[in-house]
Amino acid sequence: MALVGHFLREGEVFGDVGANAGVYTVFAAKVCGARVHAVEPAPETLGALMQNIAANSIADRVEVHPVALSDCRGTVAFSSGRDATNRITDASVAGAQQVIAMRADDLFAGKGLVAIKVDVEGAEDPVFAVAGALLAEPQLRVLLIETVSSALRAQLLREGFVEAFYDPFSRTFCDSQIANGANNRLFLRDITFVESRVRSGRTISYRGLTV
C-alpha cells in the first residue's frame, strides 16, 4: 500500500478491483487525491464501501462499479457470506447470487489508469485474459495483484511488465521477497520512471510508522 501512496499523484486514475470495504479506494482518493474506479460486486460488501466513501467525503473522486470482472459479459454466480473472500463461483453453491459481469477492457480501456490493484480471490487469470487493450496503455505502469499464476506472469512479462518487490522504507525495488508474509504481487512497466516517482512521493505516517 505504501507504493500506491508514493507513486500516485493528485488527479491520476487508480483502479481498485475487488475493492471490498474500500481500504485502497479511500487511501488512493483521500490521501493521494487520485480518481478511483472501485469495482465491488458483492451486495453485502458494497454497502460498507459506499459508507466509507461517504464518511471520507470522496464521492466526487470515486466511481463505484457494482460488477464482477471476468472474461465474459452478462452475469456470473457470486458467493455470499464470506466477507472479503467472496468470489465468482458455481451457481449450485449455497447462497450464490447472480451479479453483472464485465470485461476489464470494456470497463477500463481509455480511462487513463496509471495503477491498478486486482484482488479477486484467485480469479485473476480471467480478468487479465481480456485486458489486452488496458495492458497496452503506456501510462499504466503499476499492477498489484493478489494471485498470479505462471500463465498470468508470462502474459504480463510479454506485455512489458517486470516483477519486483518494494521496500517502502528505502523506496527501492529488488527482484526477491523483502519480508515474509502474504503480499500482493507487484509488476511494473518502465521501472526507471516508477523509481523516480516513488523517490519524490509523499511521506506517509500511520500510528507512529513513517515511510
Side-chain angles (χ1 to χ4, degrees):
M1 185 171 282
L3 173 61
V4 173
H6 293 159
F7 177 78
L8 277 180
R9 299 295 188 266
E10 185 172 355
E12 291 185 332
V13 186
F14 177 72
D16 187 4
V17 181
N20 198 256
V23 174
Y24 272 88
T25 291
V26 171
F27 183 70
K30 191 173 183 72
V31 176
C32 305
R35 293 180 289 127
V36 181
H37 289 275
V39 180
E40 179 50 54
E44 64 196 80
T45 312
L46 190 60
L49 172 62
M50 300 303 294
Q51 288 175 3
N52 280 329
I53 290 170
N56 285 278
S57 303
I58 53 173
D60 60 326
R61 276 169 270 166
V62 179
E63 185 172 348
V64 176
H65 306 276
V67 303
L69 288 193
S70 190
D71 55 359
C72 64
R73 302 183 182 102
T75 61
V76 293
F78 206 79
S79 68
S80 62
R82 298 182 181 181
D83 193 29
T85 63
N86 282 313
R87 64 189 71 192
I88 293 175
T89 188
D90 189 271
S92 63
V93 172
Q97 51 199 319
Q98 293 293 311
V99 300
I100 296 171
M102 290 187 67
R103 305 191 309 178
D105 274 352
D106 295 336
L107 185 60
F108 289 137
K111 286 188 167 61
L113 271 66
V114 301
I116 186 171
K117 181 221 88 180
V118 181
D119 179 351
V120 290
E121 300 303 313
E124 283 79 2
D125 279 28
V127 170
F128 285 100
V130 285
L134 171 65
L135 292 174
E137 294 184 355
Q139 84 288 336
L140 179 63
R141 291 186 168 97
V142 175
L143 311 176
L144 297 100
I145 309 172
E146 183 192 38
T147 305
V148 179
S149 67
S150 58
L152 177 53
R153 184 177 186 275
Q155 176 190 359
L156 297 177
L157 295 180
R158 288 195 302 271
E159 293 285 353
F161 291 88
V162 296
E163 187 170 11
F165 299 88
Y166 186 56
D167 179 354
F169 297 98
S170 64
R171 301 198 182 198
T172 58
F173 297 94
C174 67
D175 58 4
S176 61
Q177 187 81 21
I178 294 169
N180 294 327
N183 299 297
N184 288 327
R185 303 280 289 277
L186 172 63
F187 289 83
L188 307 175
R189 178 162 51 206
D190 191 354
I191 193 167
T192 300
F193 176 87
V194 178
E195 287 173 331
S196 176
R197 266 294 189 91
V198 300
R199 284 195 296 267
S200 62
R202 64 183 55 77
T203 297
I204 303 165
S205 297
Y206 178 73
R207 294 186 176 181
L209 180 68
T210 300
V211 292

